[in-house]
Amino acid sequence: MALPSSLMNSRDVDDNEWIYADEMAENVSKKLNIAVFTPRDLKRIHKTNSGAEVVRKLVAFSHRRLPIQERIGLLIILRQITRDSILAQEAYKQKLDDFVFRCLNSFTGIRESTFELRRHALVALFEMTSSFPDVMVCHSVAIKGTAQLTRLIPKYSGPGDWHDGLWVLISIIATLLPPLSSYKDIHEHSLPSNALQSLELPNLADALVGLLSKLDDLSMPLKFDTVIMIFKCLIWIAYYDSNAILSLSDNRGLLLFVALALSPSLILRSTGFLGLLHLRHPDYSHYGHVGRICDPLSLRSGFLLPDVTPYVDEAAEWPETPRPKHGVLTKLVEEHGVVKHAPTPHTLLYFQGYPLYASCPASVLADLEIDGPSDAFQSYDFVYKTFFGSAKIDDNTWYAMVDSLRDRPHDQFRADVLHFSILMRKLEEEKRAARDPEKIYQLYTRARILAHKGLEQWPDRAYFYYAMIKGHSGMHNFDLVVKGLLCPDVSKHLQHLMMHEGRLNLFSMGVLRLSLSVQKHPVDLGLGDLETLEEDIAEDIERSESGFTERKMSIVLRFVTERLTGSKGSDSATRKLWLEEAKSALVALKKAKSTSCLELRAAVNDFITFQQKAPKKWGPLLKTLGSFKEIIEEAHQIAQLRAKPAERKSHRTNNLNDEPAIEIPRLGYAVPEAIQSRMQAKIGAIDPATLPHCTWCDHPSLGLKKCARCGIAKYCDKECQQYHWKTGHKAECVSPEIAV
């Protein structure tokens, strides 16, 4: 994706203005006695290890009171050095990027000169965001610059030729926001509240929604790409700070997402519903990432199973519930020397004055979890009341039941099952109360650890495949469902539960692929997920073998999935029937105090509640969306796909291993081709595509170091070399011994 040529050219100058800009850069480089314009220049810098000194000169120069021409020249130099990842890292380390933001907000000098300076600064920042040397740099730039970029939006929405500038401005913001979701993974703590506040997301949401709400007042209509970028930004704003959307006047933000979910585009309908889901889930933070449906992080590539390592360290710091001091294992040695385990004293409970071994209710509960209820009356609450006289039990009784099974060597599996199931039920109770996000997060994390450990210890038992996918989505879940269903001990009960989780995963992946994916065939793959889900739901509802919660959620899923795909089209009678059944299902789940898919149910409720009001509020936007040729072409594409179901099924099967990715656009370098050739002829401008790339991280640089053993692999630094060595290069690099 390249910058529009209109942004590269001012309103009053021709293409030669960019050649003149490079002359400004040459003047600055001569004044500082540095050269960074050709590959030979960069090689010289790397060979003499003078990169840090070059950047120091530029930083010192940037703090002077400079005329507009020298600021533009410095911006050109910055664009050059940030194309080399090693020099770019040094530039960000010394905060040379701060100079770009100072230029963006410069109001000195005559208006035309200020406009040119800001235009060059936007070009520089656009290129920088396309090639950050690492994600930590992206985090830093996003935190320091998002609010400043937001304040520029009104300057590119007034009268005049501003559309390309607005597109670039919003594209930069749309590039900076998604990587912040990885902040906790990189920094080992969540995004600090002061950093989140510095983004000023409420102001950004207000500015973006304001652009969409005054389409009739703009001198020229917004371009399709600009509108799409605005929607992407709003999705991520809702992810980080839902109140930034919900607090907009006249409920504009919520109604906008509902309107999108009613739009003529499959992709935009999915985008709108994803926005509703983000609004109804706790904001992404240290305590907010708990079994989130349609979690954008599910689209991360490069792993098969989620990593549990971060959870282990946190869980180790949490105090366990105190157990009775007399909970010491008693061992009895009988005549034949066989060691048997007697019940530990704290597993001997009392009910109505009579002793009760905790292993009795524990066994019943474990079997209930694995095999499901044997009749309509059997449930956790029924077992609790039968054995303890109350549906509520304290933590000591919980530990007593789990330990009573652990005391019996042949019941270790059932002990792990019971431990996981009780944690999940305690988690549901806390979610229902919604009072303590920290406790919810702790219970969730403990459950994730138990699920991982259970799968490692019992790889041939179906239950922990179900535990791994419960409340989670991701590419790896498709494989886990299949493996779990093939386990020899899988019960009908677990089959239904795993198929239900599989349906939720199909919904999540379909919505995410359509809304955020940058795969080659997002419409085909995302629509394929949702259509497969529709077929499976129809079979499930027809069989009516699932439990109460699963049946009701299938009815809700059937309704919302059809509204996204539009598969029933003109069949208004069926659509109306499914709407009424979905309403009844939502009411039934609420009466049953079910905590299943709370966010999904809330989002569907928003859609149903506001589906009449939203089109009235956002009618001009929906009309504009329907006129875009890209949306008309999308409808034709979907019609063609549906006309060839056999080919589509084969295509989707062949593409199951395609690596999805969160949309972080790889934006192109900005100089128009005709101008670029003249610039290269004049000063040998560096083409990033021709630079060698690091074997490990793939970043371009002329300062890469060769592997001392093989002389083929090249690296940015020791860290890249060590990672590559540990992940397989050691075996490739060291030559095998010659046979004698």
Side-chain angles (χ1 to χ4, degrees), residues 205-206 208-210 212-213 231 234-235 237-238 242-261 271-273 275-276 279-280 606 610 614 617-618 621:
D206 186 56
L208 296 177
V209 173
L212 298 174
S213 62
F231 294 152
L234 291 172
I235 287 294
I237 292 171
S242 56
N243 194 54
I245 304 291
L246 292 171
S247 62
L248 292 173
S249 61
D250 300 326
N251 211 16
R252 290 178 300 157
L254 176 61
L255 292 176
L256 172 62
F257 284 142
V258 175
L260 285 182
T271 300
F273 195 77
L276 293 176
L279 292 182
R280 295 311 178 191
D606 285 337
F610 297 109
K617 177 68 177 178
W618 290 101
L621 174 63

Side-chain angles (χ1 to χ4, degrees), residues 436-679:
D436 190 346
E438 181 176 3
K439 189 170 183 180
I440 291 174
Y441 180 78
Q442 291 177 354
L443 288 168
Y444 164 79
T445 302
R446 287 185 181 180
R448 294 305 295 157
I449 293 171
L450 283 178
H452 275 265
K453 290 183 176 179
L455 188 61
E456 290 176 357
Q457 190 169 359
W458 313 102
D460 58 342
R461 310 293 292 267
Y463 184 83
F464 283 103
Y465 287 96
Y466 162 66
M468 282 294 297
I469 64 176
K470 182 175 174 57
H472 286 266
S473 59
M475 292 295 294
H476 54 279
N477 276 24
F478 294 122
D479 186 49
L480 290 174
V481 170
V482 173
K483 289 182 177 179
L485 292 174
L486 292 176
C487 287
D489 71 331
V490 64
S491 64
K492 284 285 186 183
H493 175 65
L494 284 179
Q495 283 181 359
H496 294 317
L497 291 179
M498 280 192 281
M499 291 301 292
H500 175 65
E501 294 296 333
R503 286 190 284 272
L504 289 172
N505 188 50
L506 270 173
F507 180 79
S508 288
M509 297 309 295
V511 169
L512 289 170
R513 278 170 157 165
L514 288 166
S515 304
L516 299 174
S517 177
V518 290
Q519 293 184 15
K520 292 181 180 178
H521 309 282
V523 172
D524 188 7
L525 294 173
L527 179 60
D529 289 334
L530 296 182
E531 288 182 335
T532 301
L533 172 61
E534 285 185 302
E535 295 172 7
D536 192 69
I537 288 175
E539 294 177 4
D540 179 64
I541 293 176
E542 185 177 344
R543 288 193 303 265
S544 299
E545 295 178 353
S546 300
F548 168 82
T549 299
E550 291 73 40
R551 275 200 316 276
K552 296 302 181 184
M553 280 308 307
S554 287
I555 292 172
V556 174
L557 272 178
R558 178 183 64 181
F559 164 74
V560 70
T561 303
E562 191 282 324
R563 288 305 169 101
L564 294 181
T565 63
S567 57
K568 291 300 175 184
S570 59
D571 187 356
S572 58
T574 299
R575 299 187 96 198
K576 185 176 181 179
L577 173 64
W578 287 5
L579 168 61
E580 295 305 318
E581 290 182 348
K583 289 180 180 178
S584 299
L586 290 172
V587 171
L589 288 166
K590 185 176 182 179
K591 286 183 177 179
K593 297 182 178 179
S594 169
T595 58
S596 175
C597 303
L598 289 173
E599 298 80 21
L600 175 59
R601 286 155 50 190
V604 173
N605 188 66
D606 285 337
F607 177 81
I608 293 173
T609 303
F610 297 109
Q611 62 177 334
Q612 301 298 327
K613 186 176 181 180
K616 296 178 182 178
K617 177 68 177 178
W618 290 101
L621 174 63
L622 292 177
K623 182 179 179 181
T624 300
L625 292 176
S627 66
F628 283 129
K629 65 179 180 63
E630 291 86 352
I631 291 194
I632 297 172
E633 290 171 357
E634 178 198 306
H636 289 320
Q637 180 187 2
I638 292 174
Q640 291 174 351
L641 290 171
R642 284 175 168 162
K644 302 177 181 179
E647 292 181 19
R648 288 183 61 213
K649 186 173 181 180
S650 173
H651 173 74
R652 290 202 305 270
T653 303
N654 294 334
N655 283 276
L656 283 177
N657 293 323
D658 284 1
E659 289 191 351
I662 291 177
E663 180 161 5
I664 305 173
R666 301 294 295 176
L667 305 177
Y669 289 90
V671 184
E673 186 175 350
I675 305 175
Q676 190 174 31
S677 61
R678 278 183 282 166
M679 289 172 59

Side-chain angles (χ1 to χ4, degrees), residues 139-339:
H139 294 163
S140 174
V141 174
I143 292 169
K144 76 171 67 169
T146 300
Q148 294 187 50
L149 293 168
T150 298
R151 288 190 283 273
L152 288 177
I153 291 176
K155 300 182 184 302
Y156 288 89
S157 57
D161 184 15
W162 45 264
H163 293 80
D164 289 332
L166 181 66
W167 178 86
V168 171
L169 183 59
I170 295 176
S171 295
I172 294 170
I173 297 173
T175 304
L176 294 176
L177 290 180
L180 286 173
S181 63
S182 65
Y183 192 95
K184 187 174 185 296
D185 294 338
I186 302 299
H187 300 270
E188 298 183 351
H189 59 82
S190 58
L191 186 67
S193 58
N194 60 339
L196 181 62
Q197 291 173 2
S198 72
L199 297 173
E200 298 184 12
L201 295 180
N203 293 340
L204 177 58
D206 186 56
L208 296 177
V209 173
L211 284 173
L212 298 174
S213 62
K214 58 180 182 181
L215 288 176
D216 294 339
D217 299 332
L218 297 175
S219 59
M220 295 177 64
L222 291 175
K223 294 183 178 180
F224 177 76
D225 289 345
T226 306
V227 173
I228 294 300
M229 285 295 182
I230 290 174
F231 294 152
K232 302 285 187 185
C233 290
L234 291 172
I235 287 294
W236 286 103
I237 292 171
Y239 186 67
Y240 299 122
D241 185 5
S242 56
N243 194 54
I245 304 291
L246 292 171
S247 62
L248 292 173
S249 61
D250 300 326
N251 211 16
R252 290 178 300 157
L254 176 61
L255 292 176
L256 172 62
F257 284 142
V258 175
L260 285 182
L262 294 166
S263 71
S265 162
L266 169 65
I267 291 177
L268 293 184
R269 290 195 296 272
S270 299
T271 300
F273 195 77
L274 180 59
L276 293 176
L277 286 168
H278 286 346
L279 292 182
R280 295 311 178 191
H281 194 285
D283 296 335
Y284 181 77
S285 65
H286 186 74
Y287 300 131
H289 186 60
V290 178
R292 190 182 196 121
I293 191 169
C294 291
D295 187 348
L297 300 189
S298 301
L299 286 181
R300 282 183 178 174
S301 59
F303 65 91
L304 296 176
L305 293 177
D307 183 17
V308 77
T309 306
Y311 302 138
V312 176
D313 295 336
E314 294 179 34
E317 300 175 2
W318 301 334
E320 292 280 2
T321 303
R323 304 190 187 189
K325 293 182 180 179
H326 56 274
V328 180
L329 185 64
T330 305
K331 296 180 180 179
L332 300 177
V333 182
E334 297 190 338
E335 295 180 359
H336 302 289
V338 179
V339 178

Side-chain angles (χ1 to χ4, degrees), residues 1 17 42 64-65 130 148 158 347 382 450 512 546 564 609:
M1 191 185 305
E17 187 271 335
L42 296 190
R64 299 180 189 176
R65 294 180 62 87
S130 71
Q148 294 187 50
T347 64
F382 177 80
L450 283 178
L512 289 170
S546 300
L564 294 181
T609 303

